[in-house]
Amino acid sequence: MITVKTKDKSILSSYLQSNKEIIDGYLLRLSGIPGNIPHTLYNSMHYSLAAGGKRIRPILAIASCEAVGGRIEDVIPAAVAIEMIHTYSLIHDDLPSMDNDDLRRGKPANHKVFGEATAILAGDGLLTMAFEILSGADNVEANKHADRRLRIIHEIAAAAGPEGMVGGQQLDMENEGTIMDIRELEELHRRKTGALILAAIRAGGISGGATETQLQALTDYGAKTGLAFQIADDILDVEGIEQEVGKSLGKDARQNKSTYPAITGLAESKILAEKLINEALAALDSFDDKANHLRMIAGYIIARNS
Ligand code: GRG
C-alpha cells in the first residue's frame, strides 16, 4: 500500500494549493477581460472557469517542467490552455445530449445556468481560446523556443481531438449499457481521460527542455497516472461523498456503464490503481529530487476525495 508521510502530505497540500492559486489567477485574468466577447458568452465561459476544480492537469504540467529543471513561466501557457480544454470537455459532457448532469464542481452545470446553446458555444470558445493562448505572440519566454511550442500545440491538439479525448467520449457513448472487457475499458480511458493528462505531463517536460530519455520516462509516468486517475474516479463514483466530489455520484451504475469497480470489483480496482501508481513512481527512478512533487502527486491521485 502507498503510504504518504505526514511531512510529505503537508508539503504536497501547500504545493497543490499554491499552484492552484497561480493557475486560477492566470485563468481568471485571461478570461476576465470581456473585450470583444459577447457578454453572455463571456459570462458562461467565465462561470465554468471560476467554478473551481482541482487544476490537477496544469499542476502536473508544472511539476513535470520542474522535474527536468524548467521554470514555471515556461509552462504557464500550456498549463492554462490544458485547463481551458478540460473545462470545455466538462461543459459539453454535462449537456443533456451527452451525460446529462445538473451538477459540476459543486455548482449547477453550465447549461443549467446559461441554456444549452450558450453552453455549447462556451465550450467551443474555451477550446479555441486555448489554442489562441498557446500560439499567442505575446509570450516572450515561449517565443524563445518556437520549436518546443509547436510540438506542444501539436501534442495537445492530438490529445484533445478525435484520436484522444473526443474519440474517447464517442466510445463512451457507444458503449453505454454494454459490458466491456478490461482491455476495451482501458482503451476508452486512455483516450477519454488519459490522453489529456499525458499531454499535460509531456507539455511540462517539453516546456522545461526535457531530453528525449526524460520525456520517455515522463510518458511512462503519465500513462500510468492517467489510468490510475480514472480508476480513482470510478471508485469515487461508488464510494465518494457528493458534497466533496462536487458532481452527481452513483451515475455509472444507474447508467449501466462499464467501470473498473463494475468489471473487477472495488477491492481489485483499488489494488490495480495502487499497482499503476507504483509503476508510475518507478518510471521516475532516474530523476533527482526535482521530481519529488511529481512523485507526491502520484500518491495523491489515488488517495483524493474529490
Ligand atoms: C465532451 C469532448 C468531450 C469530452 C468529455 C473529460 C470528459 C470527456 C468527460 C468528463 C466526465 C468524466 C468523468 C471524465 C473522466 C475524466 C474526469 C475524471 C474528469 C474530471 O476531472 P477532474 O477530477 O475534475 O480533474 P476537476 O473538476 O477537479 O477539474
Side-chain angles (χ1 to χ4, degrees):
M1 180 168 149
I2 296 170
T3 47
V4 185
K5 290 186 228 123
T6 312
K7 183 165 153 269
D8 284 357
K9 262 192 200 157
S10 91
I11 295 171
L12 177 65
S13 83
S14 64
Y15 182 79
L16 293 175
Q17 185 55 31
S18 61
N19 281 302
K20 177 172 152 50
E21 281 166 19
I22 291 171
I23 293 300
D24 284 350
Y26 277 99
L27 277 173
L28 299 183
R29 237 184 352 266
L30 283 165
S31 67
I33 310 156
N36 282 329
I37 304 174
H39 196 64
T40 306
L41 178 61
Y42 163 77
N43 283 342
S44 175
M45 290 165 64
H46 190 268
Y47 172 81
S48 289
L49 284 178
K54 296 179 289 299
R55 315 303 195 202
I56 194 67
R57 293 157 192 78
I59 295 173
L60 278 165
I62 292 170
S64 299
C65 181
E66 244 175 44
V68 298
R71 302 163 314 160
I72 184 163
E73 54 269 37
D74 296 327
V75 69
I76 287 294
V80 168
I82 285 170
E83 186 65 19
M84 284 185 164
I85 294 171
H86 168 60
T87 304
Y88 122 74
S89 80
L90 299 180
I91 296 174
H92 281 195
D93 186 64
D94 291 338
L95 289 168
S97 55
M98 295 227 181
D99 219 27
N100 192 19
D101 225 313
D102 293 351
L103 190 69
R104 174 64 67 178
R105 292 175 163 169
K107 300 195 171 62
N110 193 295
H111 67 274
K112 286 279 159 195
V113 180
F114 296 94
E116 276 184 59
T118 296
I120 291 170
L121 293 175
D124 295 341
L126 287 168
L127 173 62
T128 40
M129 196 175 185
F131 288 96
E132 191 180 335
I133 289 165
L134 275 171
S135 58
D138 58 347
N139 190 313
V140 179
E141 289 302 322
N143 279 338
K144 287 184 195 157
H145 295 290
D147 53 336
R148 289 181 195 170
R149 189 139 64 119
L150 193 57
R151 188 172 182 190
I152 289 169
I153 291 171
H154 181 81
E155 293 209 6
I156 293 177
E163 290 182 17
M165 185 175 71
V166 171
Q169 183 77 347
Q170 179 69 26
L171 292 178
D172 199 20
M173 282 172 3
E174 285 174 0
N175 283 291
E176 212 167 284
T178 66
I179 299 174
M180 299 168 84
D181 64 32
I182 278 291
R183 201 194 44 77
E184 290 168 326
L185 186 61
E186 192 178 317
E187 174 61 12
L188 187 157
H189 289 333
R190 187 185 64 72
R191 292 171 188 259
K192 188 175 112 169
T193 314
L196 199 61
I197 291 179
L198 178 57
I201 291 163
R202 282 182 56 90
I206 296 166
S207 304
T211 63
E212 288 306 315
T213 309
Q214 287 176 318
L215 207 52
Q216 187 51 57
L218 289 175
T219 304
D220 293 343
Y221 168 90
K224 306 287 181 188
T225 48
L227 184 56
F229 187 92
Q230 182 58 54
I231 298 175
D233 203 69
D234 286 354
I235 294 171
L236 276 175
D237 195 66
V238 179
E239 284 194 326
I241 298 166
E242 202 151 285
Q243 284 86 341
E244 288 176 355
V245 183
K247 63 177 184 180
S248 322
L249 298 180
K251 280 193 78 182
D252 292 341
R254 285 197 297 281
Q255 291 178 338
N256 257 333
K257 280 203 172 181
S258 291
T259 63
Y260 275 86
I263 293 175
T264 68
L266 258 181
E268 194 56 40
S269 303
K270 289 178 187 176
I271 292 169
L272 179 59
E274 212 169 283
K275 179 172 167 282
L276 286 163
I277 290 305
N278 280 322
E279 288 168 3
L281 291 171
L284 298 181
D285 275 354
S286 59
F287 286 77
D288 63 16
D289 287 355
K290 292 196 290 303
N292 280 352
H293 288 131
L294 214 44
R295 293 186 175 98
M296 287 179 204
I297 297 172
Y300 161 78
I301 275 175
I302 53 167
R304 67 201 166 93
N305 58 5
S306 72

